[in-house]
Amino acid sequence: HFSFGVPCQCAVADTFSRQKNQDQYCSNIALKLNTKLSNSWNKARAWGTYFNTGGGQEGGIPWVKDVPTFVMGIGVSHGLGADSISVIGASVALDEGCMRMAQELKVQTKSDMIADSVMQDIVKALAIQFTTANKGKSPERILVYRDGISEGNLNRSKENELRSIRQAFYDFHRMYYPNFSCDNSHCEGRGCLFCTPPITFIVCQSQHSIRVVPDEEPADRNKNVHSGTCLDHTVMDFRNKLNMTETLPEDPSIELFEVKDEGYDFLLTAQGGLKGTSKPIYYRVLLNENAIWKKGPTPLTKDALQLCTYHQSYQYGTATKAVRSVPVVYYSKRLAEMAMGYINYLRGRKGELPDTVGGVIGNQLEDVSEEEQKYLPRGRDGAPIGRFKFVRQDADPNESLPSEIRTELLPSFSPFERRLEDSNKWRSPFRPHLSA
């Protein structure tokens, strides 16, 4: 694969013969093969997800399958030391089964928050890939799973990163639809709830001290709670509110769901524990506009969100069972951690690069607000350290390439040439996800 770009899968006969459960081994191989061969034509999948609707069973991820839904996961890997970087991996599900992924890779100065321009580049690039894969259908709803946010930065993430997502979709709509405009007088070209898809923004916290154990000890060897155990009351610290602060424009086409103003945070133990005490993921729902904004047939209620998250846990391409977190976050974290190990080669700190691989250079990031300046990294003299994002050296600025293309580093890890043969045109950054 790394030499010719051909997906491959190895299976060793001796390993197969030593398996106690050979059917499980074959299922694992089949899952990997289907993940690698899946595309928009064959829609290959090792299995489909089905859920009961009262009147029978339906396939696909609950709620996601109703209308084109932009399910995005973001994972960050931080380097060590003061003069270091943050590698940001992002994935978006291209199909209603949340198994086919497209990914983005960006690098910025080490920070807990993703810079505004970097987040906008990520969202615009993934929105383009989502629309391309869905034959021109742009997202109607947004579901974001954000990893790597500590308790003290929840409000900063909600304030800054949500603003960047709205701005990115506003710019994306203006690029795709020349006659696009917003009827909200308060929008002022920044993107708002009335001209961009409604957003549900969830922080996935894995570093916490909460454990969920059975009230009565099971008789079998496994003493953990069952896979799919969800806790959404008593110990929850609800931070999100559904109060509408924007002024509604006079448009009869705008409809709202009638739902209770309740908290949506929950603890989910999706994995089945084999050894030790299972540790759940703490899902902190900072914003849930899809519970009230009628952009589909059903609202994203508390039960719908929990079921949607649990079903996604079965779509990881290297596990035949549910994994601890949602795959869009797992793939993003894996991508960020893999790139962190190689990024110094692209920076020229590990020797000269071959001609087939492009290096990177740092571009200055935009200034931050006065409120955010106190969070900037500082040197020993107390002065703020320069903030930058990496762009590809082979992306000549004279070619007027958009920022989301110039900052995309995935082509440096691809076995394909960066330009099409016998042409000056760039090859599309559209890439299969990590399992491929």
Side-chain angles (χ1 to χ4, degrees), residues 12-236:
V12 182
D14 291 341
T15 304
F16 172 76
S17 62
R18 292 196 304 267
Q19 299 296 316
K20 294 181 180 179
N21 188 345
Q22 295 181 343
D23 290 340
Q24 176 74 19
Y25 182 80
C26 292
S27 296
N28 209 328
I29 295 295
L31 174 62
K32 291 179 172 64
L33 283 171
N34 278 291
T35 305
K36 294 175 180 180
L37 297 176
S38 177
N39 56 45
S40 58
W41 290 277
N42 59 43
K43 299 180 180 178
R45 210 170 273 128
W47 60 77
T49 57
Y50 293 90
F51 59 97
N52 294 320
T53 60
Q57 286 189 333
E58 291 188 12
I61 301 296
W63 188 79
V64 172
K65 72 176 191 62
D66 296 337
V67 298
T69 303
F70 188 83
V71 182
M72 179 175 67
I74 300 174
V76 183
S77 177
H78 300 292
L80 301 176
D83 180 24
S84 191
I85 55 176
S86 293
V87 179
I88 305 159
S91 305
V92 66
L94 302 177
D95 63 334
E96 62 182 20
C98 293
M99 198 166 187
R100 290 179 50 236
M101 305 281 176
Q103 295 186 302
E104 287 291 308
L105 180 65
K106 312 290 184 185
V107 181
Q108 67 170 35
T109 302
K110 187 176 181 180
S111 174
D112 294 328
M113 294 291 104
I114 301 176
D116 290 348
S117 61
V118 176
M119 177 64 86
Q120 291 174 28
D121 289 346
I122 290 172
V123 175
K124 279 191 286 187
L126 291 179
I128 292 171
Q129 297 187 41
F130 180 93
T131 305
T132 303
N134 287 274
K135 301 178 180 179
K137 294 181 180 179
S138 59
E140 296 183 22
R141 303 183 297 199
I142 303 172
L143 176 58
V144 180
Y145 292 94
R146 171 74 159 92
D147 183 74
I149 296 293
S150 62
E151 188 76 23
N153 289 323
L154 291 178
N155 288 332
R156 290 179 62 205
S157 176
K158 180 180 178 180
E159 179 70 23
N160 299 325
E161 296 180 357
L162 275 171
R163 181 183 64 241
S164 300
I165 293 174
R166 289 201 197 281
Q167 182 69 64
F169 268 95
Y170 180 86
D171 296 340
F172 168 75
H173 286 156
R174 290 197 62 184
M175 178 175 61
Y176 261 77
Y177 310 107
N179 297 325
F180 169 78
S181 63
C182 180
D183 297 329
N184 183 11
S185 59
H186 301 284
C187 178
E188 299 178 352
R190 297 189 298 261
C192 65
L193 182 59
F194 312 108
C195 60
T196 59
I199 301 173
T200 298
F201 192 86
I202 305 172
V203 172
C204 310
Q205 291 184 335
S206 58
Q207 303 299 322
H208 55 78
S209 58
I210 302 175
R211 300 295 184 273
V212 181
V213 296
D215 186 26
E216 296 181 2
E217 187 173 298
D220 58 0
R221 178 176 61 90
N222 185 6
K223 307 299 182 183
N224 283 296
V225 294
H226 293 294
S227 170
T229 300
C230 185
L231 177 61
D232 60 4
H233 59 85
T234 307
V235 300
M236 297 294 98

Side-chain angles (χ1 to χ4, degrees), residues 1 9-10 41 52 62 64 94 97 114 119 135 285 287 316 343 351 355 401 412:
H1 168 66
Q9 177 66 51
C10 296
W41 290 277
N52 294 320
V64 172
L94 302 177
I114 301 176
M119 177 64 86
K135 301 178 180 179
V285 185
L287 184 68
Y316 194 53
I343 196 66
D355 295 336
L401 290 172
S412 298

